[in-house]
């Protein structure tokens, strides 16, 4: 019998949970590696958007699209197709072939990375599955992530289509759908990687209370909502307006926030409301993360819960500061470097929030050790 573990499988009156040794370090490491690639994908997606490259490839070829343009005839054909869309006619008329190649390679790289992530996920998944190294409790979820990845490819093309006929950019609603799905996939990967990690044979030290667990859930939900609001800011270019802080051109609450009818259109289409909502949500998130860190510090000595809560609070403050820096640095356009870092940092903050939620769930261990 393990020292300190009663015959009924309890320590200090609480269940031990998974048996020591269950789980697979390599399975977990693979999922974390794919999660890291998704974060890179978010960064590349931000760069593609900020360089106005997303509409440069006007066709969707799931398989043949992986082959880059090689001949002068191929380049001429792709450029001719781009010249037929509104973005070229109204924004980039007279663009040179070399300038087109610049935006083309960004979009091709974005799509190619997506295909690579699919292979990096699918091939090891089959290998782990055939080797019998995937626990039954994770099989459905892991297969579901594969389906989400395939859906993401379709949603990406659905988004691009919105900018090929009547608009000079993509729909902010479809952009939010595309980015939101990427974050859902990231959350699934991080959660499953933590679930696959071998259990600690020692019991957790102290259970996290219900209010803190609900706050952890709220943080994940609110960060996801902030990502969607950020997509609305990016899709409407609302970040180019009201480039002052903490006031919005002299007002704490600017006028004209609900001028559109019906009222709900203001949430995603009124530039003033879009930016205001993104700001207010940032304040709410910083306050909630700080409160959670204080509660966890007072309530439990669970190391994972305490470390993830502190890191999340610090990351939230840093992300808010980065957002303000980006806003104040706007000079006719969003600074590309700051914009990419801000979007990438959002993915990192979200991953930390998922880790924290996993750490405070009922039955969590103080620390995962192989």
């Amino acid at each position: 019998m393990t020292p300190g573990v009663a015959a009924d499988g309890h320590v200090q009156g609480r269940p031990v949970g998974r048996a020591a040794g269950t789980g697979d370090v390599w399975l977990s490491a693979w999922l974390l590696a794919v999660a890291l690639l998704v974060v890179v994908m978010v960064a590349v997606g931000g760069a593609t958007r900020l360089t106005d490259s997303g509409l440069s490839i006007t066709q969707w070829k799931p398989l043949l699209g992986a082959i880059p343009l090689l001949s002068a005839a191929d380049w001429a054909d792709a450029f001719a197709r781009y010249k037929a869309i509104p973005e070229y006619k109204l924004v980039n008329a007279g663009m040179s072939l070399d300038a087109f190649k610049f935006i083309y390679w960004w979009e091709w790289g974005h799509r190619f990375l997506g295909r690579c992530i699919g292979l990096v996920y699918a091939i090891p998944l089959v290998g782990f599955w055939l080797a019998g190294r995937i626990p039954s409790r994770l099989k459905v979820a892991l297969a579901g992530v594969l389906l989400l990845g395939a859906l993401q490819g379709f949603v990406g093309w659905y988004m691009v289509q919105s900018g090929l006929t009547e608009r000079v950019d993509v729909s902010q609603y479809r952009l939010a759908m595309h980015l939101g799905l990427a974050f859902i996939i990231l959350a699934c990967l991080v959660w499953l990687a933590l679930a696959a990690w071998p259990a600690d044979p020692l019991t957790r030290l102290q259970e996290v209370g219900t209010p803190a667990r609900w706050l952890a859930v709220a943080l994940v939900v609110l960060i996801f909502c902030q990502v969607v609001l950020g997509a609305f800011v990016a899709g409407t270019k609302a970040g180019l307006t009201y480039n002052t802080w903490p006031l919005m051109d002299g007002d704490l609450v600017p006028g004209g926030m609900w001028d559109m009818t019906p009222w709900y259109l203001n949430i995603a289409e009124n530039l003033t409301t879009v930016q205001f909502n993104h700001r207010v949500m940032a304040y709410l998130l910083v306050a909630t993360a700080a409160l959670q860190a204080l509660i966890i510090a007072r309530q439990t000595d669970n190391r994972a819960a305490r470390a993830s809560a502190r890191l999340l609070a610090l990351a939230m403050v840093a992300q808010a500061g980065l957002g303000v820096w980006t806003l104040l640095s706007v000079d006719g356009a969003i600074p590309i470097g700051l914009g990419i870092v801000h979007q990438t940092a959002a993915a990192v903050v979200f991953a930390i929030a998922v880790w924290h939620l996993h750490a405070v769930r009922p039955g969590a261990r103080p620390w995962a050790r192989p």
Side-chain angles (χ1 to χ4, degrees):
M1 183 183 303
T2 303
V5 180
D8 61 357
H10 286 63
V11 177
Q12 300 177 349
R14 296 183 177 88
V16 173
R18 291 184 309 201
T22 60
D24 191 321
V25 172
W26 288 106
L27 182 65
S28 182
W30 159 62
L31 290 168
L32 287 175
V34 179
L36 180 59
L37 285 175
V38 172
V39 174
V40 174
M41 185 70 166
V42 170
V44 174
T48 302
R49 175 178 55 80
L50 290 167
T51 56
D52 291 324
S53 304
L55 299 178
S56 58
I57 301 179
T58 59
Q59 293 179 302
W60 187 40
K61 298 178 180 179
L63 296 178
L64 296 179
I67 304 173
L69 300 181
L70 300 174
S71 68
D74 290 337
W75 280 110
D77 179 65
F79 196 19
R81 291 178 183 277
Y82 178 68
K83 288 180 177 179
I85 70 172
E87 183 181 74
Y88 174 83
K89 296 176 180 178
L90 300 177
V91 179
N92 291 327
M95 169 184 275
S96 67
L97 179 59
D98 286 340
F100 171 71
K101 288 181 178 181
F102 174 80
I103 62 173
Y104 173 90
W105 283 121
W106 269 116
E107 175 63 8
W108 183 86
H110 184 54
R111 297 189 188 191
F112 184 75
L113 180 57
R115 292 180 174 95
C116 289
I117 293 174
L119 292 176
V120 170
Y121 185 82
I123 294 174
L125 175 63
V126 172
F128 280 117
W129 200 299
L130 294 178
R133 294 178 63 171
I134 298 179
S136 298
R137 60 190 171 84
L138 299 182
K139 286 183 176 179
V140 173
L142 289 171
V145 172
L146 184 63
L147 294 178
L148 286 177
L151 177 62
Q152 178 70 321
F154 172 78
V155 170
W157 174 242
Y158 178 64
M159 176 187 68
V160 169
Q161 278 188 313
S162 66
L164 297 181
T165 54
E166 299 176 357
R167 301 170 57 104
V168 297
D169 50 16
V170 300
S171 162
Q172 68 268 37
Y173 297 102
R174 299 189 190 186
L175 174 62
M177 185 188 306
H178 188 50
L179 186 61
L181 184 53
F183 274 67
I184 290 173
I185 292 171
L186 176 61
C188 291
L189 290 168
V190 172
W191 187 275
L192 290 171
L194 293 169
W197 191 262
D200 191 332
L202 304 178
T203 183
R204 50 186 163 64
L205 302 182
Q206 183 179 353
E207 179 124 336
V208 175
T210 300
R213 291 203 299 269
W214 278 112
L215 270 180
V217 173
L219 280 164
V220 171
V221 173
L222 289 175
I223 292 172
F224 182 80
C225 290
Q226 179 71 325
V227 168
V228 173
L229 292 176
F232 289 156
V233 171
T236 60
K237 294 182 171 56
L240 300 179
T241 61
Y242 300 102
N243 300 118
T244 58
W245 186 85
L247 303 179
M248 296 177 68
D249 283 353
D251 294 316
L252 186 62
V253 180
M257 287 181 56
W258 302 102
D259 287 351
M260 290 185 174
T261 54
W263 65 268
Y264 54 80
L265 292 178
N266 291 280
I267 297 173
E269 298 183 20
N270 185 324
L271 301 187
T272 301
T273 311
V274 167
Q275 191 186 125
F276 179 82
N277 288 345
H278 195 51
R279 289 187 182 210
V280 171
M281 182 64 80
Y283 303 148
L284 176 61
L285 280 169
V286 169
T288 305
L291 176 62
Q292 177 73 337
L294 290 174
I295 292 174
I296 292 293
R298 291 172 175 267
Q299 186 183 88
T300 181
D301 52 5
N302 182 315
R303 286 179 293 168
R306 290 167 68 99
S308 58
R310 286 196 302 265
L311 184 59
L312 181 58
L314 291 173
M316 198 69 69
V317 172
Q319 174 69 338
L322 184 59
V324 172
W325 183 12
T326 304
L327 185 72
L328 297 179
S329 300
V330 170
D331 185 15
I334 300 293
I336 294 178
L338 286 175
I340 293 171
V341 173
H342 187 51
Q343 180 162 309
T344 308
V348 174
V349 170
F350 188 61
I352 296 171
V354 173
W355 170 37
H356 178 63
L357 178 59
H358 191 274
V360 303
R361 77 199 190 287
R365 305 301 180 285
W367 204 261
R369 292 196 297 267

